[in-house]
Amino acid sequence: MSGLRLGALLMAAALVGGLTVWIGLRSREERSESKEHAGAGEQESAIKTPGIVQLDADSRRRADIRTAAPAPYSLQPRIVAYGRLEEDPSRSFTVRAPLAGTLLAGDSQAWPALGQRIPDGATIGMIEPRLAATDQISLTNQLNTAKAELRASESARETARLGLERARILNADRKNVSDRVLQEAESRWNAEEARWSTAQDAVRLLEASLRSMGPGGRSALVTRRGGEVVEVMAQPGEAIESGQPVVRLARFDQLLARVALPVAQNAPAEATRALISVMGLEGQPVTGDRVALASSVDPRVQSPSLVFRLNQPPPGSRPGLAVTAWVRLPGAARRGYLVPRAAVVHFRGKKYVYVEKEPGLFERREIEAPEPVDGGYFTTNLRGEDRVVINGAQALLSEENKTGLEVEGE
């Protein structure tokens, strides 16, 4: 009987222990599930509303968030025209061969290459004149003869000068020499003066011809005005003629924009200025003054073209880049607001600004149909009482999207 009781007691203890373990495990699972539900709730609460950013005072101070009311702006009517950049002919320079001969590279520099920058007065090569040794000897002999003639004419000129002075003195002293003798002395002086001048010019010309050959009979090829090499029209070893173009240089501190007006759009005389944006440099639009109406019609669009000279082209501008021009027209101005370029951020192909709804709460608002103007963009979907973020918009966009998109003005 005692054995049966002991077995029953052991069985009861085992059941109680198993129940305790099951209750402990169940309690642990419930606590884990409650934590997971709590974490999911917190994650859901951490999800931000698209287009809304909220920052505390310390975060705003660290990001240097500054706001301002949009400035009222009046915009004249404009038309949009498209075209390309062109060189300014006044900023282009062609180096030509001063004489016929054979091109040679310089002793200490390579032949000019496309894109190379060359300073003013640089020697880019040499020309070996197309002259035989006998020609050089002939020129030297001619120079010696001309110098002898110059010395003889100088002596005769000095004698004629002294004779003229003596005749003048005697003629003035009671006509000791007649007026006819004085006139003959003046005529002889004029003849010797002309002979001396001719001999001097001949010597100068022959000396310049021999000097142009330089050491070893070569002539230096010098760029009177420097710039960037945009065209190389001859290479060392080629035979060239006098006046033949060798290298063309250009400076891009001034550029022209040729734009085609929309079809059936006339070019009024008042359209003298435009705002021009260069492809790839859209964040740096510049103004341009109208130079002229193009002399020909663009065959691709069959419309007149306008030519504008850019005021201070943005760095990196080169001929051939596409441009967009907003050409000003006469008429009643539209009223709206100016958004500074530094306040604009790009997101998914559109332009936005952040507006402070209340202290620390910012709303991202799209700029509808933005039009570039001096200093920013013209828009009509803002109000005068709005507080636009003019500094720190990038920080707000990064906080909202956790990306590194750039502000247009930076």
Side-chain angles (χ1 to χ4, degrees), residues 194-206:
R195 179 186 171 193
W196 172 81
S197 179
T198 302
Q200 192 178 44
D201 291 341
V203 170
R204 189 182 299 112
L205 178 61
L206 290 170

Side-chain angles (χ1 to χ4, degrees), residues 6 36 77 93 97 110 127 129 157 171 178 192 233 245 257 272 291 298 322 324 326 335 359-360 405:
L6 180 60
E36 290 178 359
F93 178 73
I127 298 179
R157 175 173 171 266
N171 181 265
S178 63
E192 294 301 334
M233 294 163 279
T272 59
V291 177
D298 191 334
T324 303
W326 288 266
R335 297 187 178 278
L405 301 180

Side-chain angles (χ1 to χ4, degrees), residues 277-286 314 341 346 377 407-410:
S277 175
V278 182
M279 177 181 289
L281 304 169
E282 289 83 356
Q284 307 174 62
V286 296
R341 189 165 289 112
H346 289 268
Y377 291 93
V407 180
E408 180 170 342
E410 297 180 353

Side-chain angles (χ1 to χ4, degrees), residues 117-181:
R117 294 186 178 276
I118 298 179
D120 296 349
T123 300
I124 62 174
M126 307 293 292
I127 298 179
E128 186 174 298
R130 197 177 300 154
L131 291 175
T134 54
D135 295 328
Q136 298 185 27
I137 294 174
S138 176
L139 283 176
T140 303
N141 291 336
Q142 292 179 32
L143 177 60
N144 293 334
T145 302
K147 287 182 176 179
E149 178 65 24
L150 178 60
R151 289 192 294 269
S153 64
E154 286 177 345
S155 177
R157 175 173 171 266
E158 181 65 16
T159 301
R161 186 184 65 80
L162 294 175
L164 176 59
E165 290 180 356
R166 184 170 57 254
R168 285 174 177 171
I169 294 173
L170 293 175
N171 181 265
D173 186 14
R174 300 179 182 181
K175 298 289 185 178
N176 290 331
V177 170
S178 63
D179 292 340
R180 180 178 179 182
V181 174

Side-chain angles (χ1 to χ4, degrees), residues 126-323:
M126 307 293 292
I127 298 179
E128 186 174 298
R130 197 177 300 154
L131 291 175
T134 54
D135 295 328
Q136 298 185 27
I137 294 174
S138 176
L139 283 176
T140 303
N141 291 336
Q142 292 179 32
L143 177 60
N144 293 334
T145 302
K147 287 182 176 179
E149 178 65 24
L150 178 60
R151 289 192 294 269
S153 64
E154 286 177 345
S155 177
R157 175 173 171 266
E158 181 65 16
T159 301
R161 186 184 65 80
L162 294 175
L164 176 59
E165 290 180 356
R166 184 170 57 254
R168 285 174 177 171
I169 294 173
L170 293 175
N171 181 265
D173 186 14
R174 300 179 182 181
K175 298 289 185 178
N176 290 331
V177 170
S178 63
D179 292 340
R180 180 178 179 182
V181 174
L182 178 59
Q183 292 174 357
E184 290 176 353
E186 290 177 347
S187 177
R188 187 162 51 254
W189 157 255
N190 291 333
E192 294 301 334
E193 177 72 14
R195 179 186 171 193
W196 172 81
S197 179
T198 302
Q200 192 178 44
D201 291 341
V203 170
R204 189 182 299 112
L205 178 61
L206 290 170
E207 286 179 341
S209 298
L210 287 173
R211 195 186 312 113
S212 66
M213 298 179 184
R218 297 177 181 178
S219 177
L221 194 60
V222 180
T223 60
R224 300 300 178 189
R225 190 172 68 185
E228 183 175 323
V229 178
V230 295
E231 191 173 1
V232 179
M233 294 163 279
Q235 294 292 334
E238 294 184 13
I240 58 173
E241 301 298 329
S242 178
Q244 179 177 336
V246 178
V247 173
R248 189 167 68 87
L249 310 172
R251 296 177 179 176
F252 300 131
D253 54 346
Q254 292 183 10
L255 290 173
L256 301 178
R258 182 185 297 268
V259 297
L261 297 177
V263 177
Q265 174 68 52
N266 295 323
E270 295 85 354
T272 59
R273 175 162 287 200
L275 187 69
I276 299 172
S277 175
V278 182
M279 177 181 289
L281 304 169
E282 289 83 356
Q284 307 174 62
V286 296
T287 58
D289 295 321
R290 178 174 167 181
V291 177
L293 182 67
S295 58
S296 60
V297 175
D298 191 334
R300 294 169 296 180
V301 297
Q302 292 296 313
S303 65
S305 299
L306 296 178
V307 179
F308 294 89
R309 177 176 284 110
L310 274 64
N311 300 322
Q312 298 181 346
S317 301
R318 285 294 183 272
L321 289 177
V323 298

